[in-house]
Amino acid sequence: MRIAVASDHGGFKLKQEVLEYLRSRGIAVQDCGTFSEDSVDYPDVVLPVAEAVAGGEYDRAILLCGTGIGVSMVANKVPGVRAAVCSDTFSARHSRAHNDANVLTLGERIVGPGLAREIVAVWLETGFEGGRHARRVDKITAVEEKYGARRS
Ligand code: RB5
């Protein structure tokens, strides 16, 4: 699985924790920045990564900011991206099983490093259940098409 990880300055420290955790498990990840705690605007960092997920360059992405909210808002503007803000493992599991989320977003000011590791683990290990959930996810795609957005 090709995984990208990115954050703004508000999620930088937790990004480093997530990268360290994934690499300690032997999971290859691409660090797409930001690379310091200097202030950046999260749309600038997140948009190229979300586009790369939608374009198939990465299978999944994990995006971080102070709350996880701003990065999720940007990512969800990109057709084909289904980003889920998760602050607990139940949401992480269901975002995969029911929503086929391909982007996980986390807030450094909300979630500590230990919980973040558990959320990431559950999110990566849980498969999409398909069935009735596939019909619903297809309807999300139909909403994108209704408003003129199509995958590149
Ligand atoms: C940056 O201060 C903060 O606004 C950002 O990291 C994020 O929480 C926005 O949603």
Side-chain angles (χ1 to χ4, degrees):
M1 192 187 295
R2 296 156 303 168
I3 303 172
V5 179
S7 77
D8 71 351
H9 57 288
F12 174 74
K13 285 182 189 154
L14 192 58
K15 172 171 72 73
Q16 300 311 108
E17 298 269 0
V18 167
L19 286 168
E20 187 182 321
Y21 169 65
L22 291 172
R23 287 171 176 156
S24 76
R25 289 191 48 188
I27 298 170
V29 285
Q30 181 68 42
D31 182 357
C32 296
T34 187
F35 298 104
S36 77
E37 290 184 75
D38 293 347
S39 182
V40 292
D41 296 338
Y42 56 83
D44 297 338
V45 182
V46 164
L47 183 59
V49 180
E51 288 176 335
V53 171
E57 189 178 332
Y58 299 107
D59 301 302
R60 307 266 193 92
I62 300 170
L63 305 175
L64 308 96
C65 62
T67 58
I69 295 169
V71 290
S72 75
M73 288 181 170
V74 174
N76 276 320
K77 295 292 185 191
V78 178
V81 168
R82 289 177 300 281
V85 192
C86 296
S87 304
D88 62 273
T89 56
F90 185 91
S91 300
R93 180 175 300 107
H94 285 78
S95 78
R96 288 288 310 128
H98 289 192
N99 312 117
D100 198 17
N102 51 13
V103 172
L104 168 68
T105 78
L106 297 166
E108 179 182 304
R109 298 169 190 162
I110 312 292
V111 176
L115 178 55
R117 280 192 286 274
E118 290 190 14
I119 290 170
V120 166
V122 164
W123 190 74
L124 290 177
E125 287 159 11
T126 304
F128 180 46
E129 287 181 10
R132 67 188 187 282
H133 303 298
R135 184 179 69 242
R136 293 160 186 166
V137 170
D138 286 347
K139 289 186 179 185
I140 297 175
T141 305
V143 173
E144 294 173 343
E145 289 168 355
K146 176 178 177 183
Y147 288 94
R150 289 178 207 287
R151 284 186 212 217
S152 56

